[in-house]
Amino acid sequence: MAKKLLSKGKYQRMLKLTNDEGKIDALALDQRGSLVKMMKTASEKYGKLFSMKMVYDFKKVVSRILSPLSSAVLLDEQMGFKGIEAKDPDTGLIMSYEKTGYDANEPGRLPSLIPDQSAQIMVSKGADALKVLLYFNPDDPDEINDQKKAFAERYGTEGLAAETPTFFEIVTYDDRYDSKSLEFAKEKPDFVLRAMKEFTQDKYHIDVLKMEVPFNPTYIEGWDASAGKSAYTEDQAKGYLKQLSDEATRPFIFLSAGVPTDIFQRELRLAGSASAQFNGVLSGRATWIEGVDLFVRDGEDGLVEWLKRKGTRNVTDLTKILSENATPWFEAYGGKDNIQVIDISDLK
């Protein structure tokens, strides 16, 4: 394997983002539109008056209590500024760079960046890494996907210049089907594998791919009795995980995608049993979603009590699972000895 060239800044920041085992054990708290929706639903349920302060304070409390247990935390400045302030100083900070959601009136779910941000600005505010989310359907017309590929190249190149690791989250979709449908579940393995094959290419300068598991766990035979039908066996699901790993040419981690905590943990164990060489997680709702209702109903005290009891256990359970199943990020490049840390000018 050829030597992997990394600038000194990127290399040092990658070490800041990973735990002592070299694995990315990160907490995702950058949900914006979806968290507002959850808070509003809970407020209606309990007869409370919703305000954006609830969102800000929720992120602050979760960050304060869970970030010390995580190697990094993903936050947005727009709604997560209090969470950034409350973060443990020894925990790495990944900052969201994309606008939340997409314009439903335009075809293709095209991405766009926060207009008053840049890689350099976010670094100056303490970011150790950047993150963007891209919705991707490999079967969309070229006029759509060519824009997304160019977007990825611009993003990766900006991170390269700023010596800042770039996290690239890919969420697959097909506008013909509901994302939770059996029809899309049958397509999903192919879509996720093709997304990996595309964006793992060197030309994008992506440092960490944040991937979905390449299946819908609801439709694994025997996993969910209420599903009625299945799309794949557990052995097939393991095969998809191994294929995903085999396609990767750089570190990749799994996102929790809002599944229940026990299901996400089961997915990760399945990846380990499939010998998939993944390098960690960015776990969001699977870690803290139960705390939303409690926060709205019982206030900060109720959330703190839940976080210290259940939220903390969710994080430490994940840490144990990663220790047993994930691999260090530098193994994606053949080990630390195969990484050549150089001055950024030599990469230009």
Side-chain angles (χ1 to χ4, degrees):
M1 181 182 288
K3 285 275 188 180
K4 172 63 180 179
L5 304 183
L6 275 182
S7 70
K8 184 178 180 181
K10 273 198 178 187
Y11 183 74
Q12 290 178 336
R13 289 185 172 111
M14 282 298 297
L15 296 179
K16 176 74 181 291
L17 298 164
T18 53
N19 63 21
D20 292 342
E21 295 182 348
K23 299 168 186 178
I24 299 169
D25 186 7
L27 173 70
L29 262 176
D30 70 323
Q31 288 78 1
R32 284 160 278 179
S34 61
L35 183 56
V36 169
K37 184 177 180 180
M38 284 186 271
M39 287 278 185
K40 286 183 175 179
T41 299
S43 296
E44 292 175 3
K45 178 180 177 181
Y46 295 112
K48 304 284 187 176
L49 182 64
F50 170 80
S51 72
M52 285 303 299
K53 184 177 183 298
M54 296 166 69
V55 177
Y56 307 150
D57 288 347
F58 178 83
K59 293 193 177 199
K60 175 191 70 177
V61 176
V62 175
S63 178
R64 185 181 79 234
I65 294 176
L66 297 187
S67 67
L69 305 172
S70 307
S71 67
V73 59
L74 168 62
L75 279 157
D76 60 292
E77 191 176 38
Q78 293 69 41
M79 300 182 193
F81 56 93
K82 288 187 177 181
I84 292 173
E85 293 171 358
K87 178 190 74 68
D88 187 285
D90 293 329
T91 300
L93 174 62
I94 309 166
M95 286 184 68
S96 292
Y97 193 6
E98 85 282 357
K99 290 181 181 178
T100 184
Y102 54 86
D103 186 347
N105 296 315
E106 293 288 332
R109 306 189 187 189
L110 296 173
S112 56
L113 299 178
I114 298 169
D116 63 351
Q117 293 283 31
S118 72
Q120 294 286 11
I121 289 173
M122 286 187 279
V123 169
S124 72
K125 293 180 177 180
D128 301 297
L130 316 175
K131 168 260 172 184
V132 300
L133 181 153
L134 182 81
Y135 291 97
F136 188 65
N137 178 342
D139 289 336
D140 269 346
D142 288 345
E143 56 263 32
I144 289 174
N145 282 341
D146 286 349
Q147 292 183 63
K148 294 180 179 182
K149 293 171 186 179
F151 171 86
E153 288 193 40
R154 287 195 296 271
Y155 168 61
T157 302
E158 187 178 2
L160 190 70
E163 296 192 67
T164 310
T166 47
F167 283 61
F168 196 68
E169 177 178 355
I170 305 169
V171 174
T172 56
Y173 71 95
D174 187 332
D175 284 330
R176 297 177 300 170
Y177 306 124
D178 184 278
S179 63
K180 296 180 180 179
S181 68
L182 176 63
E183 291 81 6
F184 184 63
K186 292 177 179 178
E187 284 189 334
K188 190 167 186 175
D190 176 63
F191 277 22
V192 176
L193 290 168
R194 288 163 68 191
M196 172 67 89
K197 188 171 184 178
E198 176 62 40
F199 293 105
T200 196
Q201 295 182 72
D202 289 342
K203 67 178 181 179
Y204 293 111
H205 301 296
I206 299 301
D207 294 292
V208 179
L209 284 159
K210 184 183 176 188
M211 303 297 297
E212 303 169 286
V213 293
F215 49 76
N216 183 332
T218 299
Y219 297 105
I220 297 177
E221 186 178 332
W223 277 38
D224 188 341
S226 67
K229 296 182 179 180
S230 62
Y232 8 72
T233 65
E234 188 172 288
D235 282 344
Q236 286 175 316
K238 287 174 66 174
Y240 298 141
L241 288 162
K242 185 63 167 64
Q243 289 176 57
L244 186 72
S245 172
D246 290 345
E247 288 287 358
T249 63
R250 63 207 59 245
F252 79 98
I253 61 178
F254 286 118
L255 61 124
S256 59
V259 301
T261 304
D262 61 329
I263 296 298
F264 187 48
Q265 293 174 357
R266 189 174 183 180
E267 290 172 336
L268 297 176
R269 291 190 181 99
L270 190 69
S273 69
S275 299
Q277 302 297 297
F278 72 103
N279 308 107
V281 296
L282 249 170
S283 178
R285 287 168 287 179
T287 299
W288 48 255
I289 191 169
E290 293 177 51
V292 175
D293 268 29
L294 289 169
F295 176 65
V296 173
R297 189 188 70 188
D298 301 332
E300 184 171 324
D301 289 345
L303 176 61
V304 168
E305 190 278 330
W306 181 86
L307 287 168
K308 289 183 176 180
R309 176 177 49 84
K310 183 71 187 308
T312 294
R313 186 164 73 250
N314 288 343
V315 175
T316 55
D317 285 350
L318 268 182
T319 300
K320 185 175 186 295
I321 291 169
L322 292 180
S323 180
E324 296 170 349
N325 295 279
T327 58
W329 69 272
F330 42 79
E331 293 301 330
Y333 300 125
K336 275 188 177 180
D337 291 343
N338 204 47
I339 296 175
Q340 185 176 347
V341 181
I342 62 175
D343 188 272
I344 188 173
S345 61
D346 295 331
L347 289 173
K348 295 178 179 179

